[in-house]
Amino acid sequence: MTDLDAVYLDHNATTPLDPRVLQAMMPYLAGGAGNASSLHRLGQRARQAVDVARQQVAALIGASPDEVFFVSGGTEADNWALRAGVAAAAGARDLGGPAQLVTTTVEHSAVLQTAERLRAQGVTVTLVEVDAAGRVDPEAFAAALTPKTALVSVMLANNDVGTIQPVAAIAALARQAGVWIHSDAVQAVGKIAVDVRTLEVDLLALSAHKLGGPQGAGALFVRRGLRLPPLLEGGGQERGRRGGTENVAAIVGFGRAAELARSEWAEGARRTAELRERLELGLLARIPRLTINGREAPRLPNTLSVSCAGVDGLDLVLNLDLAGVAASTGAACSSGRVAPSHVLRAMGRDAATAREALRLSLGASNSEGEIDRTIEVMAEAVARLRAPATSA
């Protein structure tokens, strides 16, 4: 079996590069692309391409082009938002003491680890708990706010279980308190409607490779009027907010992917939701003692997190891989670790149940035949992995 024959169900880790995106990138990969800061024709051609991509990304999230700043990916966007956001928001309000950052227990590691670094630097960090479905209560967020709160950060959709958070409601409460709000929307953009005006966020992170674009390109939305200092100093790129020569080819690909997502996300969401339902019902019918994680809350249409009692999630991933099905135990940056999913632990699962988690994330390339094949392969793998315990 070749990689081309594999059933790819790990789209939350990264999506395959859309051929139409690659086509848009090729002129900037095959030579002739100048530095977007150069004044000659090749440089200005690159600058124009970056400007077009900025317009395309802005249109996808309902922003103005001057509010979109290109970075290397979602991790950099989250780091910039938290590190600079806490300092800028605290300075704007003259808190007169250690600032507070409020976030949740189920955030991506790019947020949680940055929060811990800020804590070590004297920032007060408050983590708001979630319910058993992974959903945070806006009122719990409101209760965590203090006069020292500078920034709140809540992801729009969870990368492990797909739970969609009530960001707009949290933003409204934060705004009443004069607090800036950041949202990690990396998993949401391209899968559900994302509009920064409707959400009323100040900062929002997104990444190209989660919506059919290339790896190595992302963006941070910064609401017009916010004085956000740069994370990286350099040659004045991105209007002095993010130093470093622009990755023109990747940015062009990001723009084209955003353009495609804007016109196709609704149909894609409908189709992947149908496939996920087929997969979910098929697994429930074939595998005893299977739990759907986060089923009680609104979820991304493509994401299915399951726990098979008595089966280690990593063992199941390896068995599925041998059978030609690519899945994961959770976030790609942590799926190789022995530690159980921090998201499921935050949702109240014990360590053993959290270790049994498997994430199946669908995309445009999947078919009904692949879903049916996955159900069959996974049912066989679970039965095989449970057999020693049963016979013992």
Side-chain angles (χ1 to χ4, degrees), residues 127-370:
L127 300 180
V128 179
E129 301 288 342
V130 297
D131 63 19
R135 191 168 167 86
V136 67
D137 181 358
E139 293 302 326
F141 241 94
L145 302 181
T146 75
K148 299 292 188 182
T149 308
L151 180 74
V152 303
S153 180
V154 56
M155 62 180 6
L156 185 52
N158 187 264
N159 44 297
D160 275 11
V161 299
T163 302
I164 298 172
Q165 301 292 0
V167 171
I170 293 170
L173 295 169
R175 195 166 296 282
Q176 290 175 11
V179 174
W180 290 13
I181 179 164
H182 162 254
S183 182
D184 176 347
V186 167
Q187 285 296 343
V189 174
K191 300 184 182 83
I192 60 175
V194 177
D195 187 294
V196 294
R197 308 303 179 202
T198 302
L199 294 173
E200 292 192 292
V201 294
D202 297 301
L203 304 162
L204 182 135
L206 57 159
S207 183
H209 77 104
K210 304 295 188 180
L211 45 92
Q215 297 175 1
L220 181 67
F221 159 80
V222 181
R223 182 173 57 79
R224 186 182 294 158
L226 262 59
R227 299 176 64 87
L228 190 72
L231 178 66
L232 299 176
E233 303 286 354
Q237 289 86 356
E238 293 301 293
R239 305 186 298 287
R241 307 288 274 279
R242 198 275 186 182
T245 300
E246 293 95 341
N247 184 345
V248 176
I251 289 171
V252 167
F254 189 6
R256 179 59 173 146
E259 182 180 54
L260 293 168
R262 187 184 180 204
S263 62
E264 298 176 0
W265 78 263
E267 174 59 23
R270 182 197 63 77
R271 183 173 175 276
T272 53
E274 290 178 353
L275 290 176
R276 187 193 67 183
E277 185 75 3
R278 186 186 188 98
L279 178 59
E280 189 171 300
L281 294 177
L283 293 176
L284 286 169
R286 292 290 307 276
I287 301 176
R289 295 182 292 144
L290 179 141
T291 301
I292 308 297
N293 299 310
R295 195 181 193 187
E296 304 82 7
R299 290 175 291 164
L300 291 173
N302 79 313
T303 304
L304 176 62
S305 172
V306 302
S307 294
C308 302
V311 177
D312 183 84
L314 184 56
D315 289 341
L316 186 52
V317 166
L318 297 176
N319 274 259
L320 291 177
D321 186 47
L322 290 172
V325 176
S328 75
T329 57
C333 54
S334 61
S335 58
R337 297 178 185 171
V338 177
S341 165
H342 75 278
V343 174
L344 291 176
R345 293 289 280 145
M347 291 165 60
R349 309 299 194 270
D350 60 31
T353 303
R355 285 193 183 92
E356 294 164 351
L358 178 82
R359 184 186 69 187
L360 302 160
S361 49
L362 289 64
S365 62
N366 295 127
S367 65
E368 290 186 355
E370 289 181 329

